[in-house]
Amino acid sequence: MEWKSLIETQYYNVDKTESINITIPEFVKNNKDLKDLFKSYFVIFKTYKFGNFIFQMGRNHEAINKYNVGSILNGATHTFTLEKWNGIIKTIQEASAKSSTGIPIIYGVDAIHGATYIQKSTLFPQEIGLAASWDTSMAREMGRITAYETRASGVPWNFSPVLDLGSKPIWSRFFETLGEDVYLAKTLGAKIVDGYQGGATIDKNHVAACLKHYVGYGFPRTGRDRTPALIPERTMLEQHLPPFEESINNGALTVMIGGDQADFDK
């Protein structure tokens, strides 16, 4: 089946479209309500100005109601006060409430070492610094405080923790990892998730965690970000997958795929 996707070429231009092919899951096909909902919300946004994306608030109604946008992913290079953040989220959700489905927009940020997009927030060391402490209680507390401050801004979804192993020192994002030790990475990662989510049910003081980047993203052959990785099957099973498995088994709600291509070498 052919679907239309939206390609964002500059800031908030949504006029250019292209066709893509997807497979609809069987359980969706067999439920008319789900199928209609799936169709209305299958919209892909891509920005070519990753560090300079601006969501134009004056066009949020158009984006949500005309183009069926279901989620908004935060850009970079800005920090706002709590008051401004709450105003932004409120405006977006008011527009979503008037959509054909009435389903709230989900908004996500990369608060990977504290609520970095909020002015006067608490900042922590990058994950490699946390890993150097070997302190599981500190990992959970970092997650808890980050979640509390992020949720105070109205944002319920955090793209963290990074569970890529730090086993390729030439990778440009090495500092975001919990190091190269599998046990340390999976243990601290699960504690961060626990701090973010606060248990099985997300309350008003916590956020949904998002494990990233699944999988092998931190082991590119060239060391350059978003480039292919060639990983032996045993290495994948014994090293790269366990941190994700640990956090998923402990209740992590979402997973982000990596922007690489990971090939198994048997």
Side-chain angles (χ1 to χ4, degrees):
M1 181 176 291
E2 197 173 71
W3 297 75
K4 290 293 184 180
S5 67
L6 300 176
I7 303 299
E8 186 171 24
T9 54
Q10 184 177 7
Y11 294 108
Y12 193 69
N13 296 328
V14 292
D15 299 321
K16 183 181 178 182
T17 63
E18 68 175 19
S19 298
I20 61 173
N21 294 314
I22 64 167
T23 300
I24 302 177
E26 288 298 324
F27 78 92
V28 173
K29 288 182 180 179
N30 297 331
N31 186 306
K32 183 180 184 304
D33 292 336
L34 282 178
K35 186 175 181 180
D36 291 343
L37 189 63
F38 187 84
K39 181 178 180 180
S40 68
Y41 267 81
F42 193 84
V43 177
I44 295 176
F45 263 71
K46 180 178 181 182
T47 175
Y48 294 100
K49 303 189 71 156
F50 286 97
N52 203 24
F53 172 58
I54 299 175
F55 183 83
Q56 295 181 0
M57 297 304 296
R59 300 186 66 186
N60 56 9
H61 181 81
E62 178 185 5
I64 295 166
N65 293 281
K66 180 177 179 181
Y67 295 104
N68 302 311
V69 170
S71 67
I72 298 173
L73 314 182
N74 193 62
T77 71
H78 64 264
T79 57
F80 298 140
T81 63
L82 282 177
E83 291 75 19
K84 184 166 184 176
W85 267 117
N86 278 280
I88 291 172
I89 302 301
K90 180 181 179 181
T91 301
I92 291 171
Q93 300 301 2
E94 286 176 346
S96 70
K98 298 175 183 178
S99 67
S100 58
T101 64
I103 296 177
I105 294 294
I106 184 168
Y107 195 110
V109 298
D110 290 273
I112 60 175
H113 60 108
T116 51
Y117 293 100
I118 302 173
Q119 292 178 13
K120 299 182 179 180
S121 64
T122 306
L123 300 184
F124 296 90
Q126 292 281 357
E127 283 189 11
I128 195 67
L130 173 66
S133 74
W134 291 74
D135 192 330
T136 55
S137 63
M138 185 177 294
R140 189 185 188 284
E141 187 68 357
M142 183 186 84
R144 184 191 68 81
I145 293 172
T146 300
Y148 179 80
E149 295 185 355
T150 299
R151 192 59 185 268
S153 70
V155 176
W157 190 23
N158 187 17
F159 304 138
S160 179
V162 173
L163 295 182
D164 303 295
L165 286 183
S167 52
K168 178 80 78 168
I170 61 173
W171 182 43
S172 58
R173 297 174 65 179
F174 181 88
F175 62 91
E176 294 183 38
T177 75
L178 289 164
E180 66 179 343
D181 184 82
V182 178
Y183 181 79
L184 181 64
K186 75 176 186 179
T187 302
L188 292 182
K191 292 298 182 181
I192 295 172
V193 170
D194 188 34
Y196 285 156
Q197 299 189 169
T201 303
I202 306 297
D203 63 21
K204 64 181 180 180
N205 295 322
H206 293 86
V207 297
C210 185
L211 316 179
K212 63 183 187 183
H213 308 81
Y214 188 84
V215 60
Y217 182 73
F219 199 73
R221 295 180 65 185
T222 65
R224 296 178 179 176
D225 197 30
R226 298 188 177 93
T227 57
L230 183 61
I231 302 173
E233 183 178 28
R234 177 176 291 182
T235 303
M236 179 66 80
L237 294 175
E238 294 183 354
Q239 298 181 20
H240 297 279
L241 284 172
F244 290 90
E245 180 183 29
E246 183 79 8
S247 285
I248 290 171
N249 289 340
N250 281 279
L253 291 175
T254 65
V255 177
M256 179 192 296
I257 63 170
D260 63 325
Q261 175 183 323
D263 294 325
F264 294 110
D265 180 9
K266 295 184 179 182

